[in-house]
Amino acid sequence: MIASFKNTLFINLDTESWPGKHLSPINRLLMTIVLISVFSVILETEQKFTDIYQSYFDVANSFFLYIFTIEYVARFWVIGLRPEYGGIRGRLRYLISPFSIIDLISIVPFWFSFGSEWLLIRILRLLRILKLARIPGLSSALKGIQRAISRRRFELYISIGLAVFMMLLAAISLYITERDIQPDAFGSIPRALWWGMATLTTVGYGDVYLISMLGKIFAGIFAFSGIGLVAMPTGILAAALSDSFQKNEDDTSAAE
Amino acid sequence: MIASFKNTLFINLDTESWPGKHLSPINRLLMTIVLISVFSVILETEQKFTDIYQSYFDVANSFFLYIFTIEYVARFWVIGLRPEYGGIRGRLRYLISPFSIIDLISIVPFWFSFGSEWLLIRILRLLRILKLARIPGLSSALKGIQRAISRRRFELYISIGLAVFMMLLAAISLYITERDIQPDAFGSIPRALWWGMATLTTVGYGDVYLISMLGKIFAGIFAFSGIGLVAMPTGILAAALSDSFQKNEDDTSAAE
Amino acid sequence: MIASFKNTLFINLDTESWPGKHLSPINRLLMTIVLISVFSVILETEQKFTDIYQSYFDVANSFFLYIFTIEYVARFWVIGLRPEYGGIRGRLRYLISPFSIIDLISIVPFWFSFGSEWLLIRILRLLRILKLARIPGLSSALKGIQRAISRRRFELYISIGLAVFMMLLAAISLYITERDIQPDAFGSIPRALWWGMATLTTVGYGDVYLISMLGKIFAGIFAFSGIGLVAMPTGILAAALSDSFQKNEDDTSAAE
Amino acid sequence: MIASFKNTLFINLDTESWPGKHLSPINRLLMTIVLISVFSVILETEQKFTDIYQSYFDVANSFFLYIFTIEYVARFWVIGLRPEYGGIRGRLRYLISPFSIIDLISIVPFWFSFGSEWLLIRILRLLRILKLARIPGLSSALKGIQRAISRRRFELYISIGLAVFMMLLAAISLYITERDIQPDAFGSIPRALWWGMATLTTVGYGDVYLISMLGKIFAGIFAFSGIGLVAMPTGILAAALSDSFQKNEDDTSAAE
């Protein structure tokens, strides 16, 4: 009977052994708890909240700790049913697998202390969301995107190189034009790069802007070329994905 | 003669029974009045206008109320000509249909009061614009977009997930880097998220920006990755729509 | 000999009668003068420049006036060689053609005065740049873009409609959330629309931003949906143009 | 033995003679040194750094000078092995080739002085990165992008023309609307262009924004049309690249 329970638990915990198209109910619950725990950690960094709700955070942290400890032990117990993790050597291999290490790191320190310095480590749990990548639909979508990006990586390198080059050019131009008028903002190329970045990405914080006529003309030219810097990777990605989608379909049709 | 008038009215009011390609003249007029009434409600929230034109707003509100009441009664009268809304049970089914409820909500409260607290309910009338989705051209365009989005929903989920992940990463990085220098803006992850959102979406309000060298370098990296966050869904949508348009055409050619 | 000169002048002035692929040398010169004259008008609005260079502007304005007057007379003289503008009735028809009227408006007032109130009328000359649309390469590119936009107009209407709807929704949400905290910026829907516009287009001036926690969360959601509002028309245009380019090519191949 | 060493050096230095797919180890090292030297020049413009690390910069500059001098001499020595640069005339032809001149400029002034006025010349070394364009993968990607842009250049001209036209229209509209309220920002068309540029590119510095109701409405319209200005070149590029990628593939399939 224990063997049967162990088996059921294994199928429910192991994403790849679950026969359904989506996640098993247990994994869906655990995923939700992971998300809530990350959300709770984020809120806990805000003093406004901890001032009022400290006791709730304490309860939540203990709750998450117990849940994730139980999960860790349970996974360790049933993982032996997967051939590659069978036996003592398999168990050791499982212990040093990335996800297992993340799971461990996100619980061990908290058995000893809940000091705020450990707070951020618990955000690492978010990485467990990556397990979702094993859901068939998401997995094939991810592969399609990866294939498109990898096939057109040289085109993307060029557009990144161009972006860096334009940013440097923008910074140097404005450094020459405006360094004497606004030494704080354009007194050196690294300083001018801050403006160049904000302009070429079209973020435009507005903490730094041009005053001189020539500087404004340069800024205008670089701001417009910023459109090109957005347009190029977008165009490459669109074309690459369009390619990748079509290929995928042709394969599907050919297989039918 | 009343039957004939009822029938004409029915054909003119019921979008799906109208034989033409566009909306019937009456529906076009009603659509225009809906738009004007929404526009009027928007203006009415501004005290500058109500201070001067209160009497005009009062007249307009009464006018809209009469028109929409007459429309409601007329629709209720003629809807019985549609088989699914025939008989008393059909009428009741019509009364609880979403559009009928919206129509009702946007008139009933105003028979009793025009208090500003009800003002916003009248904006719900805007939802009636959705009836436009029944025009053939718009309807097939809408279906094409929906099909493209639904076929590539996993790719879009991935790009949304990536966006959320990047925003969190940006907020955490800057929280660590800049929390001691600007506690007001980066003193907690929720606060840093506000900056992360403004940067990754390239909105860049400029109420918060980085001061430290390391913070600026981080900000630059995240601002550039913001370009990718715009490029990815755009590329996916472009590829999916291109696919969807082509398929549609192949079907049309095959049918010819 | 006059007839031969008139004919040469006609061929050189009339874009459609010129046998070459590009513009005739005379038209190229005139186009350059138009651009310079528009540029000069723009500079003339800036008092900093007129304070110093008023005499230059006066010379330039007289020069442009003589050139455009001569051009107008010359065009009127030779246009009779085009069959549709032959005879007195043809000449009259030419006089009321849009380009001829623009040409006339941009000279007549200046024979009497150069007052600054007429300044902007001269910018209308820029519309003459539209004549460039008759160059074969540009003309077919323009047709391709027009065809793509016109074929997918319903999809574009939907994305415009969605943008307006989102902007209204953003304004209403923030009006409700923040009107008591920032009455100046969010005290009415028209005021909140200013913020909504700046956020959804990702312009983000930063003159208005959110203070309350709930307001910031709303702002974040709308800022991210702003990415979608950019992505949708871009995707539609990309797909439509891709379609249009391919079709054009198939036609060319079929014709070969 | 010297001949053999010269030959090995030649193959290692000359990008096109190297048989491998990537750069030769020596060229990779030199490329890295170029990047580091550019990075060092950028940092050297910031007084904060030179105040503390001046001695390090001095050492680095001498190091870069020796390395690039040795490289220059070595390249000059071995280049004779390439047929087109053989003999004295070939050597002279090499000396006046663009890359050779850049190499020379980036060393000669510094044998005499390291004054900060020469600082920027050393950034020219960055142009040597362009030699990377000879790597097969990058080179074919670059050709694909160039072909796509060149084939659709008229479409891109149109979108640039439209952008300039819209910017002018925006500036003129706001100049008329707001010149009396904000003479500093909208008192002339050149001034209004600064705002128009920031809005249409969606940079939105926020140093200038609209105050009057009519101005805000105009601003909103132009901000939304800014989306179109981004969407159009992106769509054109996406479609052109999609075309270019597909054609490339068809050629490859046909060749097989």
Side-chain angles (χ1 to χ4, degrees), chain A residues 38 42-43 45-46 48-49 120 123 126-127 137-138 141-142 145 163 167 194 197 201-205 207 229-230 233-234 237-238 241-242 245-246 249, chain B residues 151-152 154-155 158 168 172 175-176 187-191 195 199 202-206 208-209 216 219-220 223-224 231-232 234-236 238-239 243 246-247:
Chain A
V38 167
I42 289 174
L43 293 184
T45 61
E46 172 63 58
K48 258 194 219 162
F49 298 141
L120 293 170
I123 285 181
L126 199 62
L127 292 175
L138 271 181
L142 202 61
I145 292 175
M167 205 172 79
W194 173 244
M197 178 281 291
T201 60
T202 76
V203 168
Y205 288 120
D207 54 334
L229 288 194
V230 177
T234 309
L237 264 180
L241 287 167
S242 181
F245 290 172
Q246 227 140 25
E249 217 140 281
Chain B
R151 281 202 60 201
R152 298 299 163 197
F154 286 116
E155 279 85 357
I158 290 172
L168 257 180
I172 294 168
Y175 163 64
I176 295 171
S188 72
I189 298 180
R191 283 165 198 227
W195 168 87
T199 298
T202 78
V203 167
Y205 289 119
V208 182
Y209 47 85
K216 284 186 174 182
F224 268 101
M232 217 155 106
T234 310
I236 292 166
D243 230 38
Q246 228 140 24
K247 195 143 300 165

Coordinates of all heavy atoms in Angstrom, one line a residue, chain A residues 38 42-43 45-46 48-49 120 123 126-127 137-138 141-142 145 163 167 194 197 201-205 207 229-230 233-234 237-238 241-242 245-246 249, chain B residues 151-152 154-155 158 168 172 175-176 187-191 195 199 202-206 208-209 216 219-220 223-224 231-232 234-236 238-239 243 246-247:
Chain A
V38 N 6.6 34.2 -3.1 CA 7.5 35.3 -3.7 C 6.8 36.6 -3.6 O 7.4 37.6 -3.2 CB 7.7 35.0 -5.2 CG1 8.3 36.2 -5.9 CG2 8.6 33.8 -5.4
I42 N 8.3 39.9 -1.6 CA 8.3 41.3 -2.2 C 7.7 42.3 -1.2 O 8.2 43.3 -1.0 CB 7.6 41.3 -3.6 CG1 8.5 40.5 -4.5 CG2 7.4 42.7 -4.0 CD1 7.9 40.3 -5.9
L43 N 6.5 41.9 -0.7 CA 5.8 42.9 0.1 C 6.5 43.1 1.4 O 6.5 44.2 2.0 CB 4.4 42.3 0.5 CG 3.4 42.3 -0.7 CD1 2.0 41.8 -0.2 CD2 3.3 43.7 -1.4
T45 N 9.6 43.4 1.9 CA 10.7 44.4 1.9 C 10.2 45.8 2.2 O 11.0 46.7 2.4 CB 11.4 44.4 0.5 OG1 10.5 44.8 -0.5 CG2 12.0 43.0 0.2
E46 N 8.9 46.0 2.1 CA 8.3 47.4 2.3 C 8.0 47.6 3.8 O 7.1 46.9 4.3 CB 7.1 47.5 1.4 CG 6.3 48.8 1.7 CD 7.1 50.0 1.3 OE1 7.5 50.2 0.2 OE2 7.2 50.9 2.3
K48 N 6.4 49.8 5.3 CA 5.0 50.2 5.6 C 4.2 49.0 5.9 O 3.3 49.1 6.7 CB 4.4 50.8 4.3 CG 4.4 52.4 4.3 CD 3.5 52.8 3.1 CE 4.0 54.0 2.5 NZ 3.4 54.3 1.2
F49 N 4.4 47.9 5.2 CA 3.6 46.7 5.4 C 4.1 46.0 6.7 O 3.3 45.5 7.5 CB 3.7 45.7 4.2 CG 3.2 46.3 3.0 CD1 3.8 46.1 1.8 CD2 2.0 47.1 3.0 CE1 3.3 46.7 0.6 CE2 1.5 47.7 1.8 CZ 2.2 47.5 0.6
L120 N 16.1 37.9 0.3 CA 16.1 37.8 -1.2 C 16.4 36.4 -1.7 O 15.9 36.1 -2.8 CB 17.2 38.8 -1.7 CG 16.8 40.2 -1.4 CD1 17.9 41.1 -1.7 CD2 15.6 40.6 -2.2
I123 N 13.5 34.6 -3.0 CA 13.0 35.0 -4.3 C 13.5 34.0 -5.3 O 12.8 33.8 -6.4 CB 13.4 36.4 -4.6 CG1 12.5 37.4 -3.8 CG2 13.2 36.7 -6.1 CD1 12.7 38.8 -4.1
L126 N 11.4 31.7 -7.3 CA 10.7 32.0 -8.5 C 11.2 31.2 -9.7 O 10.5 30.9 -10.6 CB 10.9 33.5 -8.8 CG 9.9 34.1 -9.8 CD1 8.5 34.1 -9.2 CD2 10.3 35.6 -10.0
L127 N 12.5 30.8 -9.6 CA 13.1 30.0 -10.7 C 12.4 28.7 -10.8 O 12.5 28.1 -11.9 CB 14.6 29.8 -10.3 CG 15.5 31.0 -10.4 CD1 16.9 30.7 -9.9 CD2 15.5 31.6 -11.8
G137 N 2.4 22.5 -24.4 CA 2.1 23.7 -25.2 C 3.2 24.7 -25.1 O 3.8 25.2 -26.0
L138 N 3.5 25.0 -23.8 CA 4.6 26.0 -23.5 C 5.9 25.6 -24.1 O 6.7 26.4 -24.6 CB 4.7 26.3 -22.0 CG 3.8 27.3 -21.4 CD1 4.0 27.5 -20.0 CD2 4.0 28.7 -22.1
A141 N 6.2 26.0 -27.8 CA 6.3 27.4 -28.1 C 7.7 28.0 -27.8 O 8.2 28.7 -28.6 CB 5.2 28.2 -27.3
L142 N 8.2 27.5 -26.6 CA 9.5 28.0 -26.2 C 10.6 27.5 -27.2 O 11.5 28.3 -27.6 CB 9.8 27.4 -24.9 CG 10.9 28.1 -24.0 CD1 10.5 29.5 -23.7 CD2 11.1 27.3 -22.7
I145 N 10.4 29.7 -30.4 CA 11.1 31.0 -30.2 C 12.6 30.9 -30.1 O 13.3 31.6 -30.8 CB 10.5 31.7 -28.8 CG1 9.1 32.0 -29.0 CG2 11.4 32.9 -28.5 CD1 8.4 32.6 -27.7
A163 N 23.2 49.1 -32.0 CA 22.7 49.8 -30.9 C 23.8 50.4 -30.0 O 23.8 51.5 -29.6 CB 21.7 48.9 -30.1
M167 N 24.8 54.3 -29.6 CA 24.8 54.9 -28.2 C 26.1 55.6 -28.0 O 26.1 56.7 -27.4 CB 24.5 53.8 -27.2 CG 23.9 54.3 -25.9 SD 23.4 53.0 -24.8 CE 25.0 52.6 -24.1
W194 N 24.6 57.9 -20.2 CA 23.4 57.8 -19.5 C 22.2 58.5 -20.3 O 21.1 58.0 -20.4 CB 23.5 58.5 -18.1 CG 22.3 58.6 -17.3 CD1 21.6 59.8 -16.9 CD2 21.5 57.5 -16.8 NE1 20.5 59.5 -16.2 CE2 20.4 58.1 -16.1 CE3 21.6 56.2 -16.9 CZ2 19.4 57.4 -15.5 CZ3 20.6 55.4 -16.2 CH2 19.5 56.0 -15.5
M197 N 21.6 56.4 -23.5 CA 20.8 55.3 -23.3 C 19.3 55.6 -23.2 O 18.4 55.0 -23.8 CB 21.3 54.6 -22.0 CG 20.5 53.4 -21.5 SD 19.0 53.7 -20.7 CE 19.5 54.5 -19.2
T201 N 16.7 54.3 -26.3 CA 15.7 53.3 -25.9 C 14.3 54.0 -25.8 O 13.3 53.3 -25.6 CB 16.0 52.7 -24.5 OG1 16.0 53.7 -23.5 CG2 17.3 51.9 -24.5
T202 N 14.3 55.3 -26.1 CA 13.0 56.1 -26.0 C 12.4 56.1 -24.6 O 11.2 56.3 -24.4 CB 11.9 55.7 -27.0 OG1 11.3 54.5 -26.6 CG2 12.5 55.6 -28.4
V203 N 13.2 55.7 -23.6 CA 12.7 55.8 -22.2 C 12.5 57.3 -21.8 O 11.4 57.7 -21.4 CB 13.7 55.1 -21.2 CG1 13.3 55.5 -19.8 CG2 13.6 53.6 -21.4
G204 N 13.6 58.1 -22.0 CA 13.4 59.5 -21.8 C 13.0 59.9 -20.4 O 12.0 60.5 -20.3
Y205 N 13.9 59.7 -19.4 CA 13.5 60.0 -18.1 C 13.3 61.5 -18.0 O 12.4 62.0 -17.3 CB 14.6 59.7 -17.1 CG 14.8 58.2 -16.9 CD1 15.9 57.5 -17.2 CD2 13.7 57.5 -16.4 CE1 16.0 56.1 -17.0 CE2 13.8 56.1 -16.1 CZ 15.0 55.5 -16.5 OH 15.1 54.1 -16.2
D207 N 15.6 63.6 -16.8 CA 16.5 64.2 -15.8 C 17.7 65.0 -16.5 O 18.2 65.9 -16.0 CB 17.1 63.2 -14.8 CG 17.8 62.0 -15.6 OD1 17.4 61.8 -16.7 OD2 18.7 61.4 -15.0
L229 N 16.4 51.5 -34.1 CA 17.0 50.5 -33.2 C 15.9 49.6 -32.6 O 16.2 48.5 -32.2 CB 17.7 51.2 -32.1 CG 19.1 51.8 -32.5 CD1 19.9 52.1 -31.2 CD2 19.8 50.9 -33.4
V230 N 14.7 50.1 -32.4 CA 13.6 49.3 -32.0 C 13.1 48.5 -33.2 O 12.7 47.3 -33.0 CB 12.4 50.1 -31.4 CG1 11.3 49.3 -31.0 CG2 12.9 50.9 -30.2
P233 N 15.5 44.9 -34.4 CA 15.3 43.6 -33.8 C 13.8 43.1 -33.9 O 13.6 41.9 -34.0 CB 15.7 43.9 -32.3 CG 15.7 45.3 -32.1 CD 15.9 45.9 -33.5
T234 N 12.9 44.1 -33.8 CA 11.5 43.6 -33.9 C 11.2 43.0 -35.3 O 10.6 41.9 -35.4 CB 10.5 44.9 -33.8 OG1 10.9 45.5 -32.6 CG2 9.1 44.4 -33.7
L237 N 13.0 39.6 -35.4 CA 12.2 38.6 -34.7 C 10.9 38.2 -35.4 O 10.6 37.0 -35.4 CB 11.9 39.2 -33.3 CG 12.8 38.8 -32.1 CD1 12.3 39.4 -30.9 CD2 12.9 37.3 -32.0
A238 N 10.2 39.2 -35.9 CA 8.9 38.9 -36.6 C 9.2 38.0 -37.8 O 8.5 37.0 -38.0 CB 8.3 40.2 -37.1
L241 N 10.3 34.5 -36.5 CA 9.2 33.7 -36.0 C 8.2 33.3 -37.0 O 7.7 32.2 -37.0 CB 8.5 34.6 -34.9 CG 9.2 34.8 -33.6 CD1 8.6 35.9 -32.8 CD2 9.2 33.5 -32.8
S242 N 8.0 34.2 -38.0 CA 7.1 33.8 -39.1 C 7.6 32.6 -39.8 O 6.9 31.7 -40.1 CB 7.0 35.0 -40.1 OG 6.1 34.8 -41.1
F245 N 7.3 29.5 -37.5 CA 5.9 29.0 -37.4 C 5.5 28.2 -38.7 O 5.0 27.1 -38.6 CB 4.9 30.2 -37.3 CG 5.0 30.9 -35.9 CD1 4.3 32.1 -35.7 CD2 5.8 30.4 -34.9 CE1 4.4 32.7 -34.5 CE2 5.8 31.0 -33.7 CZ 5.1 32.2 -33.5
Q246 N 5.9 28.8 -39.8 CA 5.5 28.2 -41.1 C 6.2 26.8 -41.3 O 5.6 25.8 -41.7 CB 6.0 29.1 -42.2 CG 4.9 29.3 -43.3 CD 4.8 30.7 -43.7 OE1 5.8 31.4 -43.7 NE2 3.7 31.2 -44.2
E249 N 4.6 24.2 -39.3 CA 3.4 23.7 -39.9 C 3.6 22.8 -41.1 O 2.9 21.8 -41.2 CB 2.6 25.0 -40.4 CG 1.2 24.9 -40.2 CD 0.7 26.2 -39.8 OE1 0.8 26.6 -38.6 OE2 0.2 26.9 -40.7
Chain B
R151 N -3.9 31.1 -31.4 CA -3.0 30.1 -31.9 C -1.6 30.3 -31.3 O -0.9 29.3 -31.1 CB -2.9 30.1 -33.5 CG -4.1 29.5 -34.1 CD -3.7 29.1 -35.6 NE -2.6 28.2 -35.6 CZ -1.8 28.0 -36.6 NH1 -2.0 28.6 -37.7 NH2 -0.8 27.1 -36.6
R152 N -1.3 31.5 -31.1 CA 0.1 31.8 -30.5 C 0.0 32.2 -29.1 O 0.9 32.9 -28.6 CB 0.8 32.8 -31.4 CG 1.0 32.4 -32.8 CD 1.9 31.2 -32.9 NE 1.8 30.6 -34.2 CZ 2.2 29.3 -34.5 NH1 2.7 28.6 -33.5 NH2 2.1 28.8 -35.7
F154 N 0.6 30.6 -26.4 CA 1.7 30.1 -25.5 C 2.9 31.0 -25.7 O 3.6 31.4 -24.8 CB 2.0 28.7 -25.8 CG 1.0 27.7 -25.3 CD1 0.2 26.9 -26.1 CD2 0.8 27.6 -23.9 CE1 -0.7 26.0 -25.6 CE2 -0.1 26.7 -23.4 CZ -0.9 25.9 -24.2
E155 N 3.1 31.4 -27.0 CA 4.3 32.3 -27.3 C 4.0 33.6 -26.5 O 5.0 34.2 -26.0 CB 4.4 32.5 -28.8 CG 5.1 31.4 -29.5 CD 4.2 30.3 -29.9 OE1 3.0 30.4 -29.6 OE2 4.6 29.4 -30.6
I158 N 4.7 33.3 -22.9 CA 6.1 33.3 -22.6 C 6.6 34.7 -22.5 O 7.4 35.1 -21.7 CB 6.9 32.5 -23.6 CG1 6.5 31.0 -23.4 CG2 8.4 32.7 -23.5 CD1 7.1 30.1 -24.5
L168 N 10.7 42.1 -12.3 CA 11.1 41.7 -11.0 C 12.6 41.8 -10.8 O 13.2 42.3 -9.8 CB 10.7 40.3 -10.7 CG 9.5 40.1 -9.8 CD1 9.1 38.7 -9.6 CD2 9.7 40.8 -8.4
I172 N 14.6 44.1 -8.2 CA 15.5 43.5 -7.2 C 16.9 44.1 -7.3 O 17.5 44.5 -6.3 CB 15.5 42.0 -7.2 CG1 14.1 41.5 -6.9 CG2 16.5 41.4 -6.3 CD1 13.9 40.0 -7.2
Y175 N 16.9 47.6 -6.2 CA 16.6 47.7 -4.7 C 17.9 47.4 -4.0 O 18.2 48.2 -3.0 CB 15.6 46.6 -4.4 CG 15.5 46.2 -3.0 CD1 15.1 47.1 -2.0 CD2 15.8 44.9 -2.5 CE1 14.9 46.8 -0.7 CE2 15.6 44.6 -1.2 CZ 15.2 45.5 -0.3 OH 15.1 45.1 1.0
I176 N 18.7 46.4 -4.4 CA 20.0 46.1 -3.8 C 21.0 47.3 -4.0 O 21.7 47.7 -3.1 CB 20.6 44.8 -4.3 CG1 19.6 43.7 -3.9 CG2 22.0 44.6 -3.8 CD1 20.0 42.3 -4.6
G187 N 13.6 51.9 -1.7 CA 13.7 51.3 -0.3 C 13.1 50.0 -0.1 O 13.2 49.4 0.9
S188 N 12.2 49.6 -1.1 CA 11.6 48.3 -1.0 C 11.4 47.8 -2.5 O 11.4 48.6 -3.4 CB 10.3 48.3 -0.3 OG 9.3 49.0 -1.0
I189 N 11.2 46.5 -2.6 CA 11.0 46.0 -4.0 C 9.7 46.5 -4.6 O 9.7 46.9 -5.8 CB 10.9 44.4 -4.0 CG1 12.3 43.9 -3.5 CG2 10.7 43.9 -5.4 CD1 12.5 42.4 -3.4
P190 N 8.6 46.6 -3.9 CA 7.4 47.3 -4.5 C 7.7 48.7 -5.0 O 7.2 49.1 -6.1 CB 6.3 47.3 -3.4 CG 6.7 46.2 -2.5 CD 8.2 46.1 -2.5
R191 N 8.5 49.4 -4.3 CA 8.8 50.8 -4.7 C 9.7 50.7 -6.0 O 9.5 51.5 -6.9 CB 9.6 51.5 -3.6 CG 8.7 52.0 -2.5 CD 9.6 52.4 -1.3 NE 8.7 52.5 -0.2 CZ 8.7 53.5 0.7 NH1 9.6 54.5 0.5 NH2 7.9 53.5 1.7
W195 N 9.7 52.0 -10.6 CA 10.7 52.4 -11.6 C 10.9 51.3 -12.7 O 11.0 51.7 -13.9 CB 12.1 52.6 -10.8 CG 13.2 52.8 -11.8 CD1 13.6 54.0 -12.4 CD2 14.0 51.8 -12.3 NE1 14.6 53.7 -13.2 CE2 14.9 52.4 -13.2 CE3 14.1 50.4 -12.1 CZ2 15.9 51.7 -13.9 CZ3 15.1 49.7 -12.8 CH2 15.9 50.3 -13.7
T199 N 10.6 51.9 -16.7 CA 11.8 51.7 -17.6 C 11.5 50.6 -18.6 O 11.8 50.8 -19.8 CB 13.0 51.4 -16.7 OG1 13.2 52.4 -15.9 CG2 14.2 51.1 -17.6
T202 N 9.4 51.5 -21.4 CA 10.0 52.7 -22.0 C 9.1 53.9 -21.8 O 9.2 54.9 -22.6 CB 10.3 52.5 -23.5 OG1 9.2 52.6 -24.3 CG2 11.1 51.2 -23.7
V203 N 8.2 53.9 -20.8 CA 7.4 55.1 -20.5 C 8.3 56.2 -20.0 O 8.3 57.3 -20.5 CB 6.2 54.8 -19.5 CG1 5.6 56.1 -19.0 CG2 5.2 53.9 -20.2
G204 N 9.1 55.8 -18.9 CA 10.1 56.7 -18.4 C 9.5 58.1 -17.9 O 9.8 59.1 -18.4
Y205 N 8.7 58.0 -16.9 CA 8.1 59.3 -16.3 C 9.2 60.2 -15.9 O 9.1 61.4 -16.1 CB 7.2 59.0 -15.1 CG 5.9 58.3 -15.5 CD1 5.6 57.1 -15.0 CD2 5.0 58.9 -16.3 CE1 4.4 56.4 -15.3 CE2 3.8 58.3 -16.6 CZ 3.6 57.0 -16.1 OH 2.4 56.4 -16.4
G206 N 10.3 59.7 -15.3 CA 11.3 60.6 -14.8 C 11.2 61.1 -13.4 O 11.9 61.9 -13.0
V208 N 11.5 59.1 -11.0 CA 12.5 58.3 -10.3 C 13.6 57.9 -11.3 O 13.3 57.4 -12.4 CB 11.9 57.0 -9.8 CG1 13.0 56.2 -9.0 CG2 10.8 57.2 -8.9
Y209 N 14.8 58.2 -11.0 CA 15.9 57.7 -11.9 C 17.1 57.4 -11.1 O 17.1 57.7 -9.8 CB 16.3 58.8 -13.0 CG 16.4 60.2 -12.5 CD1 17.6 60.6 -12.0 CD2 15.3 61.1 -12.5 CE1 17.7 61.9 -11.5 CE2 15.4 62.4 -12.0 CZ 16.6 62.8 -11.5 OH 16.8 64.0 -11.0
K216 N 23.1 53.2 -12.6 CA 22.9 53.6 -14.0 C 23.2 52.6 -15.0 O 22.6 52.4 -16.0 CB 23.7 54.9 -14.2 CG 23.1 56.1 -13.6 CD 23.9 57.4 -13.9 CE 23.2 58.6 -13.4 NZ 23.8 59.9 -13.7
A219 N 20.4 50.2 -14.9 CA 19.2 50.8 -15.6 C 19.4 50.7 -17.1 O 18.4 50.4 -17.8 CB 19.1 52.3 -15.1
G220 N 20.6 51.0 -17.6 CA 20.9 50.9 -19.0 C 20.6 49.5 -19.6 O 19.9 49.4 -20.6
A223 N 16.9 48.9 -19.5 CA 16.2 49.7 -20.6 C 16.4 49.1 -21.9 O 15.4 49.1 -22.7 CB 16.7 51.2 -20.6
F224 N 17.6 48.6 -22.2 CA 17.8 48.0 -23.5 C 17.0 46.7 -23.6 O 16.5 46.4 -24.7 CB 19.3 47.8 -23.8 CG 19.9 48.9 -24.6 CD1 20.6 49.9 -23.9 CD2 19.6 49.1 -25.9 CE1 21.1 50.9 -24.6 CE2 20.1 50.1 -26.6 CZ 20.9 51.1 -25.9
A231 N 9.8 44.1 -28.6 CA 10.0 43.4 -29.9 C 9.4 42.0 -29.9 O 8.8 41.6 -30.9 CB 11.5 43.3 -30.2
M232 N 9.4 41.3 -28.8 CA 9.0 39.9 -28.8 C 7.5 39.8 -29.0 O 7.1 39.1 -30.0 CB 9.4 39.2 -27.5 CG 9.7 37.8 -27.9 SD 10.8 37.1 -26.7 CE 9.7 36.0 -25.9
T234 N 5.5 41.9 -30.3 CA 5.2 42.5 -31.7 C 5.6 41.5 -32.7 O 4.8 41.2 -33.7 CB 6.1 43.8 -31.9 OG1 5.9 44.6 -30.8 CG2 5.6 44.5 -33.1
G235 N 6.8 40.9 -32.6 CA 7.2 39.9 -33.6 C 6.2 38.7 -33.6 O 5.9 38.2 -34.7
I236 N 5.8 38.2 -32.4 CA 4.9 37.1 -32.4 C 3.6 37.5 -33.0 O 3.1 36.7 -33.9 CB 4.7 36.7 -30.9 CG1 6.0 36.1 -30.3 CG2 3.5 35.7 -30.8 CD1 5.9 35.9 -28.8
A238 N 3.0 39.8 -35.3 CA 3.2 40.0 -36.7 C 3.2 38.7 -37.4 O 2.6 38.5 -38.4 CB 4.5 40.8 -37.0
A239 N 4.0 37.7 -36.9 CA 4.1 36.4 -37.5 C 2.8 35.7 -37.5 O 2.4 35.1 -38.5 CB 5.2 35.6 -36.8
D243 N 0.5 34.7 -40.8 CA 0.0 33.3 -40.9 C -1.5 33.3 -41.1 O -2.0 32.7 -42.1 CB 0.3 32.6 -39.6 CG 1.0 31.3 -39.8 OD1 1.8 31.3 -40.7 OD2 0.6 30.4 -39.1
Q246 N -2.7 34.8 -44.4 CA -2.4 33.9 -45.6 C -3.4 32.7 -45.6 O -3.9 32.3 -46.7 CB -1.0 33.4 -45.4 CG -0.2 33.5 -46.7 CD 1.2 34.0 -46.4 OE1 1.7 33.7 -45.4 NE2 1.9 34.6 -47.4
K247 N -3.6 32.1 -44.5 CA -4.5 31.0 -44.4 C -5.9 31.4 -44.9 O -6.5 30.7 -45.7 CB -4.6 30.5 -42.9 CG -5.2 29.2 -42.8 CD -4.5 28.4 -41.7 CE -3.0 28.2 -42.0 NZ -2.3 27.8 -40.8

